[in-house]
Amino acid sequence: MEKFIQILKNLDRRWIFLLIFLACIIPFWVPQLFDQKFSTSKETQRVYDIINSLEEGDAVFIDWAFDPTLQAELLPMVEQTIKQCFDRKLRVFIYYPYLTGISLGENLVEEIKKEAHYKDLQSGVDYIHLGYLPIGIDMMVFSMYSDFKSTFGKEGKIFKGIKTFADIKYMMSFAGSAHPELYLLLQRRFGFRMGAGVTAVTGPDFIPYLQTGQLDGMLFGLKGAAEYENLRISKGAEKEKNHRANAGMASLTLSHLVMFLFIGLGNLVYFYERKYKKSN
Amino acid sequence: MKKEIPILIGFFATIGWYLEFFFAGTFFENWKMFFTTGFRSVAIVGLLVGIVSVLRVNYSKIKYNNDRWYSVYQMSIIALMIIFASLRGVSPGTPFDVMFYYGFSPLDATVFSLLAFYVASAAYRSFKIKSVESAFLLVAAILIMLSKMPLGEAMWDKIPVIGEWIMDGPTSAGKRAILFGAFLGGLTMMIRIAFGLEKSHLSD
């Protein structure tokens, strides 16, 4: 035992890195390694139901507030949201508060358009990339409530009937930071409806807003994205069973188990040493 | 006058925006575009200042051979991206987009994903039950982690319910307390700026 504790105590952190690395990548080759069945949280269900309840031609504003650092968690959820909007024939406005998100968003929409079901979608008619504005969200919201189109300086049939932000039926903010709070601060003033898609780390920050009803729904981390994906799979809207978010769930499970193992081992060393010191 | 004018601008802007919130669209309808255009102009000038600053820093590094090749590399990439964007645009499939999507994007994601390895290592070294409080923290953390993966629900169907309770109850209460404190601090700062008591933003 003493020897084992000594090995653990002097464990090179590169062994931890290696195990975490293997735990992350192996499940991508063996996705059936863990049971993937899980229920849908009420926050995810609400986002799905709200978008599903919108009528053909209604406008949805997507706030793409993330860059490639967070794409593993947020890209799957934004993909399904946009696809659901396209399925419902909603008009999609995608705004990028960060410059480094633009290319990611444009490429995702192009990727979606490669699927047979979405190949006829047109930029400026069914969706539009509003680009980046070098102003704060508060300024942008005020500007959008004065004149939506001129705020972004874009043209297209998609703007028909959209004078101000009040004509947008729903907005979803996707971020891995406190960014959606910037909208929530002005929500009381203007009264728009919004939901959020956030990383698992930032999710707890938004729970008070869910409780007050300021956020209609929330996609919470990779699991939230997988729940959303499963909802669409169950309705037959998403064909691929092990799509982007679900593909990552086994990796998430195994890497967490490795974390538990190391936390357990760390505590074993700690308690053994404490007992040993006491007995001496 | 160098200090008084910015303080006066701060005073009117703060009071104006504050009142705007409560008298929505009654008095300040025409101000909105004025402010948003003004901010956009200021932000663009800020962007130019940033570019000049990057050029100056890297120029001196190249001149005095202080990590010269890193600076040469950085400047070359910046120049290349600007040239590509100017010649062919930035839409999907253009050289700019290819560099962004297949160069910047994986590098950016890789740097962030390194966090997972450091978190695991740090958890092993420091996540120990040294007191009753840390025991609570560890148990709560494990329950939350289990509730956020399919295995938790497979083990016991009540784990997601417990995870939700922790999030909705104790976590939310703590977050609310922090939010109250932060916003009260923000309000105090607003009053201090409006009345010229806070001058740090004027480099004073």
Side-chain angles (χ1 to χ4, degrees):
Chain A
M1 187 69 178
E2 183 72 39
K3 202 178 169 188
F4 178 61
I5 294 293
Q6 275 309 314
I7 291 169
L8 285 178
K9 210 178 157 189
N10 302 318
L11 188 70
D12 193 323
R13 65 178 177 173
R14 281 174 291 188
W15 287 108
I16 303 173
F17 293 168
L18 179 69
L19 275 171
I20 287 285
F21 173 69
L22 292 173
C24 286
I25 61 158
I26 287 171
F28 283 99
W29 282 288
V30 202
Q32 67 278 15
L33 205 61
F34 293 98
D35 188 10
Q36 296 291 293
K37 289 186 189 77
F38 46 90
S39 54
T40 306
S41 67
K42 58 181 188 296
E43 295 87 18
T44 307
Q45 186 71 51
R46 263 188 264 162
V47 172
Y48 182 84
D49 291 343
I50 288 166
I51 295 178
N52 230 25
S53 68
L54 297 176
E55 288 172 14
E56 188 179 329
D58 280 349
V60 174
F61 187 83
I62 303 280
D63 176 59
W64 188 297
F66 65 95
D67 61 4
T69 53
L70 303 172
Q71 64 176 330
E73 269 184 290
L74 300 179
L75 205 62
M77 57 175 81
V78 79
E79 180 192 355
Q80 294 304 325
T81 310
I82 290 175
K83 277 183 173 177
Q84 194 189 359
C85 291
F86 287 157
D87 288 343
R88 300 285 308 154
K89 297 198 182 340
L90 307 174
R91 287 180 283 173
V92 181
F93 297 85
I94 311 172
Y95 170 65
Y96 302 91
Y98 300 133
L99 267 173
T100 43
I102 299 175
S103 208
L104 210 57
E106 288 178 344
N107 278 287
L108 177 75
V109 174
E110 290 307 311
E111 208 178 297
I112 291 173
K113 279 168 71 180
K114 282 179 188 158
E115 291 180 32
H117 188 51
Y118 307 107
K119 67 176 177 7
D120 295 327
L121 293 169
Q122 286 182 338
S123 175
V125 180
D126 304 295
Y127 69 91
I128 192 163
H129 298 285
L130 297 170
Y132 163 78
L133 288 181
I135 54 172
I137 293 299
D138 47 355
M139 292 293 158
M140 194 193 71
V141 172
F142 272 99
S143 183
M144 288 195 298
Y145 270 93
S146 276
D147 188 342
F148 185 76
K149 194 163 90 169
S150 71
T151 300
F152 302 100
K154 301 268 180 184
E155 291 293 337
K157 275 186 185 172
I158 195 167
F159 287 101
K160 197 179 168 192
I162 311 283
K163 285 180 184 154
T164 72
F165 197 63
D167 298 314
I168 301 284
K169 296 290 178 200
Y170 196 58
M171 81 159 277
M172 279 290 290
S173 180
F174 294 93
S177 62
H179 176 85
E181 276 183 6
L182 299 171
Y183 289 97
L184 288 163
L185 292 175
L186 288 165
Q187 195 196 34
R188 210 78 178 143
R189 158 76 167 74
F190 293 109
F192 52 86
R193 291 179 74 193
M194 73 175 281
V198 294
T199 54
V201 174
T202 49
D205 292 353
F206 295 98
I207 286 173
Y209 299 111
L210 273 172
Q211 291 171 331
T212 57
Q214 285 168 275
L215 279 178
D216 284 328
M218 185 167 83
L219 305 177
F220 197 143
L222 191 66
K223 187 165 179 256
E227 287 167 4
Y228 200 75
E229 211 171 83
N230 286 340
L231 275 174
R232 285 184 34 81
I233 289 168
S234 67
K235 308 281 178 200
E238 182 62 61
K239 303 284 178 252
E240 202 180 335
K241 296 286 179 214
N242 199 22
H243 201 59
R244 227 189 273 262
N246 278 292
M249 287 308 280
S251 173
L252 182 124
T253 303
L254 190 57
S255 54
H256 275 69
L257 287 179
V258 173
M259 285 270 289
F260 292 161
L261 172 75
F262 279 114
I263 291 171
L265 289 174
N267 277 286
L268 177 74
V269 173
Y270 173 72
F271 281 110
Y272 184 85
E273 282 194 326
R274 206 167 73 164
K275 194 181 166 192
Y276 182 76
K277 274 178 197 166
K278 267 186 190 170
S279 60
N280 287 321
Chain B
M1 290 305 275
K2 229 174 146 184
K3 290 269 152 62
E4 283 79 0
I5 290 174
I7 289 173
L8 266 177
I9 294 172
F11 176 78
F12 285 115
T14 314
I15 300 298
W17 280 109
Y18 192 70
L19 289 178
E20 213 290 337
F21 197 89
F22 293 104
F23 299 97
T26 313
F27 305 116
F28 304 101
E29 199 61 40
N30 297 327
W31 284 36
K32 290 173 193 166
M33 290 312 267
F34 169 75
F35 272 110
T36 48
T37 313
F39 265 82
R40 213 179 292 195
S41 313
V42 171
I44 288 165
V45 174
L47 202 65
L48 282 174
V49 171
I51 292 169
V52 171
S53 171
V54 168
L55 289 174
R56 280 181 61 178
V57 168
N58 284 291
Y59 173 74
S60 64
K61 280 187 172 180
I62 293 167
K63 193 176 174 185
Y64 299 110
N65 196 11
N66 179 13
D67 288 335
R68 175 182 283 165
W69 293 109
Y70 289 114
S71 291
V72 170
Y73 177 68
Q74 189 188 353
M75 297 306 290
S76 314
I77 296 292
I78 291 172
L80 210 60
M81 293 295 260
I82 292 171
I83 292 165
F84 282 158
S86 310
L87 292 178
R88 300 279 302 277
V90 295
S91 50
T94 56
F96 175 90
D97 182 66
V98 169
M99 276 188 74
F100 180 89
Y101 204 67
Y102 296 102
F104 174 80
S105 190
L107 287 172
D108 199 22
T110 304
V111 170
F112 192 71
S113 64
L114 291 177
L115 203 62
F117 298 94
Y118 289 110
V119 166
S121 177
Y124 173 59
R125 310 263 174 229
S126 54
F127 218 159
K128 288 170 185 164
I129 306 172
K130 291 180 179 173
S131 60
V132 180
E133 291 88 341
S134 60
F136 271 114
L137 187 68
L138 184 66
V139 171
I142 286 175
L143 284 170
I144 292 291
M145 282 195 271
L146 280 171
S147 73
K148 291 292 161 203
M149 57 192 208
L151 190 70
E153 198 171 335
M155 282 164 61
W156 186 32
D157 63 352
K158 291 284 179 284
I159 283 184
V161 181
I162 296 169
E164 199 173 317
W165 178 81
I166 294 172
M167 290 291 214
D168 287 351
T171 310
S172 184
K175 175 68 188 165
R176 276 165 199 270
I178 294 168
L179 277 176
F180 270 116
F183 286 118
L184 281 176
L187 197 66
T188 312
M189 184 59 91
M190 187 207 85
I191 294 165
R192 284 180 63 83
I193 289 174
F195 294 102
L197 298 168
E198 180 65 44
K199 292 175 189 161
S200 57
H201 62 296
L202 306 172
S203 312
D204 193 30

